[in-house]
Amino acid sequence: MIQLYYKGATADVVGAHGLSEADFNQVGQKVAHAHQAVCDQIAAGKLGYADLPNRKTYRDRVGQLVAKYKAKTTDLVVLGIGGSALGNIALQTALKPVTYNLIDDAQRGGPRLFVLDNVDPCLVSDTLDLLGSRLGSTVFNVISKSGETAETASQFMIVREMLRAKLGKDFARHIVATTDEKKGTLHDIAKADGYDTMPVPEDVGGRFSVLSPVGLFSAAMCGIDTDKLLAGAAAMLKQLEPHDWRKNPGTMLAAITWLMFNKGKPIQVMMPYSNRLYGLADWYRQLWAESLGKAKDRAGKDAFVGPTPIKALGTTDQHSQAQLYREGPNDKLVIFLEAATHPRELTVPDVFGDVAGLSYLRGTKLSALLQAEKVATEYALAVSQRPTVTIRFDAIDEESVGAFIMYYEFVTSVAGELFNINAYDQPAVELGKQATFALIGRKGYEKMAADIQPFAKPDEKYVLR
Ligand code: PA5
């Protein structure tokens, strides 16, 4: 399914900027403990995300609703943000053609999918306008664990009123709510209005929830084989159990990222050589940033840790970022994603044989060119002593994508142990959410609104015109 190749991060390749046997030996015990702690938490049922492949009730509920809606739905619009959207986008972009929404209704094999993960008025208005006469065959899947996130809530209110105005009493048949099973604002409204609902698992944080109904419903509606996705995730978890950490791809990647962070490489660039895999880099950015970017360690002491995850696309960003990555500060670990096979292929035709600058390309498969460019970048970075690792997908299919998701969630857990922080909360995100409530005038947030005032209105002294 997937494998880790890490030679490019070793001292053999990048000298003092890489990891030596001494580095690995020094960290061995710490990594072994971290791995044991994560395995113990999984065995004790404390890491809900690891159990998602086993949760038949979720699969059944998703299956019921897909059976109910798929045939009569031309358009599916997800309303959600962060962990309630990025996984949906990653699955769709990895496993469906880039032109999916442009394919004829009869050929596509599922509804068009739009994920509205922002409150940009253009994004929301343009998408709602596009639905036009298809509104009667559109389903809106509103996803919010808390049920009160301002972005999702405001979109939901706009959509609900639009549906009520245009479809009358039938409006509730066009909304499926994915939220807390037992409580919360969205839960209560769904019940009162009579929407179909799916649960967001109580024991799984948003950014770890893609393999729950949060991500599975839109995927299954669009024809992604979610059983295979979950099978890939389950198989990967098994692969991550064995305890020789030097041979375990999960513990090794967690150790490398932790060591690199402490070796003056606080930036980690995920660079897929595949447009299909690019959405996974976005998903990873949230997983890594919210899980590992923490001010306090688990003893409450100042920590201020967390690698900064950024994304780049190969080959596109070779022509945009590579200059910086090779000659700028040597403060990055590049994590390549590559695929052994791609779902599509094209070969450069046998033309321009007499044009010296082009003839070498004749007969080259685009996948071979893409791969050559990846190796070329890996080599060029190594020449500049820039460390890299590669995660190789055997194929871009459901099993490998499911495996990658479980892999990175597990790596995040082990890295959380190494950094000695709580990888499952996001206090800084919560403050931003509350400040939004205060600024928009939600009751109960008056004190915070007063504190924010200096930020709400520009101080003229510092405005230049
Ligand atoms: O990972 C997280 O917890 C966050 O990114 C949330 O997913 C995001 O803020 C959306 O929250 P909610 O699903 O409660 O609307």
Side-chain angles (χ1 to χ4, degrees):
M1 293 176 299
I2 61 169
Q3 47 186 275
L4 172 71
Y5 180 66
Y6 69 96
K7 187 174 179 188
T10 64
D12 290 348
V13 177
V14 290
H17 290 280
L19 304 173
S20 63
E21 269 310 297
D23 289 323
F24 286 127
N25 288 336
Q26 208 184 359
V27 82
Q29 218 175 12
K30 189 175 170 74
V31 179
H33 280 140
H35 185 229
Q36 186 62 53
V38 173
C39 290
D40 289 349
Q41 287 157 23
I42 290 174
K46 289 185 183 154
L47 297 184
Y49 74 80
D51 190 44
L52 289 176
N54 307 322
R55 296 195 180 167
K56 191 170 169 316
T57 49
Y58 294 162
R59 288 211 299 277
D60 290 348
R61 182 62 181 149
V62 169
Q64 275 167 10
L65 293 187
V66 171
K68 177 171 174 181
Y69 287 102
K70 184 165 173 170
K72 58 183 180 190
T73 303
T74 58
D75 296 82
L76 174 62
V77 184
V78 169
L79 311 179
I81 197 163
S84 295
L86 288 169
N88 305 63
I89 297 170
L91 293 182
Q92 180 72 4
T93 51
L95 298 167
K96 289 285 153 185
V98 67
T99 51
Y100 176 83
N101 276 358
L102 302 175
I103 300 172
D104 267 6
D105 285 344
Q107 313 285 317
R108 208 172 36 242
R112 296 192 298 189
L113 178 66
F114 303 94
V115 182
L116 301 188
D117 64 343
N118 202 352
V119 281
D120 179 327
C122 298
L123 172 77
V124 179
S125 313
D126 290 348
T127 308
L128 296 182
D129 287 354
L130 183 75
L131 296 170
S133 60
R134 295 160 72 103
L135 195 63
S137 55
T138 297
V139 169
F140 293 87
N141 179 202
V142 49
I143 308 177
S144 179
K145 181 170 179 163
S146 64
E148 291 192 355
T149 302
E151 293 89 336
T152 308
S154 57
Q155 290 175 349
F156 163 66
M157 289 155 81
I158 290 167
V159 162
R160 181 177 179 275
E161 282 323 287
M162 179 187 75
L163 287 170
R164 272 160 56 92
K166 296 202 170 149
L167 304 179
K169 62 179 172 26
D170 272 355
F171 82 95
R173 292 194 202 161
H174 295 265
I175 301 176
V176 173
T178 307
T179 191
D180 191 286
E181 213 168 355
K182 298 186 191 122
K183 58 178 188 323
T185 304
L186 183 57
H187 164 272
D188 296 347
I189 294 172
K191 217 166 159 199
D193 277 358
Y195 312 148
D196 280 320
T197 58
M198 286 177 288
V200 179
E202 210 180 343
D203 59 345
V204 180
R207 59 190 173 274
F208 290 88
S209 70
V210 55
L211 298 178
S212 79
V214 169
L216 296 180
F217 178 68
S218 64
M221 284 286 280
C222 295
I224 290 169
D225 188 332
T226 51
D227 286 342
K228 286 187 180 166
L229 195 69
L230 293 170
M236 174 48 69
L237 196 58
K238 283 227 138 326
Q239 219 175 305
L240 294 168
E241 274 164 14
H243 280 86
D244 181 352
W245 78 270
R246 293 288 297 263
K247 297 209 169 107
N248 181 315
T251 44
M252 180 52 84
L253 184 55
I256 289 171
T257 53
W258 184 77
L259 284 164
M260 285 294 177
F261 180 83
N262 289 304
K263 226 178 159 49
K265 316 237 177 291
I267 297 175
Q268 304 196 346
V269 183
M270 183 168 281
M271 187 169 190
Y273 271 71
S274 156
N275 283 59
R276 288 263 183 132
L277 299 178
Y278 198 34
L280 285 170
D282 244 338
W283 170 83
Y284 145 82
R285 286 192 316 137
Q286 184 204 7
L287 182 69
W288 214 239
E290 286 192 354
S291 302
L292 302 179
K294 298 289 154 72
K296 300 281 177 194
D297 70 11
R298 285 184 295 198
K301 289 214 215 86
D302 282 353
F304 301 111
V305 292
T308 299
I310 61 177
K311 61 173 181 172
L313 177 64
T315 68
T316 311
D317 284 326
Q318 280 177 221
H319 304 269
S320 155
Q321 303 295 298
Q323 173 65 32
L324 171 74
Y325 296 174
R326 281 198 66 205
E327 292 192 3
N330 196 340
D331 57 358
K332 301 172 193 66
L333 168 70
V334 175
I335 302 159
F336 293 116
L337 304 187
E338 68 179 25
T341 61
H342 294 259
R344 302 294 305 274
E345 188 58 281
L346 270 181
T347 303
V348 180
D350 187 5
V351 292
F352 296 123
D354 52 354
V355 180
L358 302 181
S359 61
Y360 72 98
L361 289 168
R362 290 171 304 152
T364 305
K365 291 188 163 72
L366 287 192
S367 64
L369 179 57
L370 192 62
Q371 183 59 15
E373 300 229 25
K374 183 262 167 177
V375 175
T377 304
E378 194 177 354
Y379 162 76
L381 288 171
V383 168
S384 303
Q385 303 224 301
R386 312 291 156 137
T388 66
V389 298
T390 295
I391 298 169
R392 185 175 176 84
F393 287 59
D394 290 343
I396 303 177
D397 59 11
E398 279 88 343
E399 282 95 343
S400 299
V401 170
F404 177 84
I405 287 167
M406 186 58 81
Y407 177 59
Y408 241 99
E409 290 176 344
F410 186 92
V411 171
T412 305
S413 291
V414 178
E417 292 293 325
L418 294 174
F419 281 109
N420 189 28
I421 48 87
N422 178 356
Y424 309 103
D425 65 359
Q426 55 286 323
V429 178
E430 297 308 327
L431 181 63
K433 285 186 177 186
Q434 287 163 18
T436 303
F437 295 154
L439 280 167
I440 304 289
R442 182 170 168 170
K443 216 164 166 241
Y445 291 83
E446 293 78 6
K447 158 88 178 63
M448 191 178 268
D451 292 347
I452 299 170
Q453 262 329 296
F455 293 86
K457 196 167 169 291
D459 183 338
E460 281 300 322
K461 187 176 156 199
Y462 298 95
V463 178
L464 302 179
R465 294 191 173 83

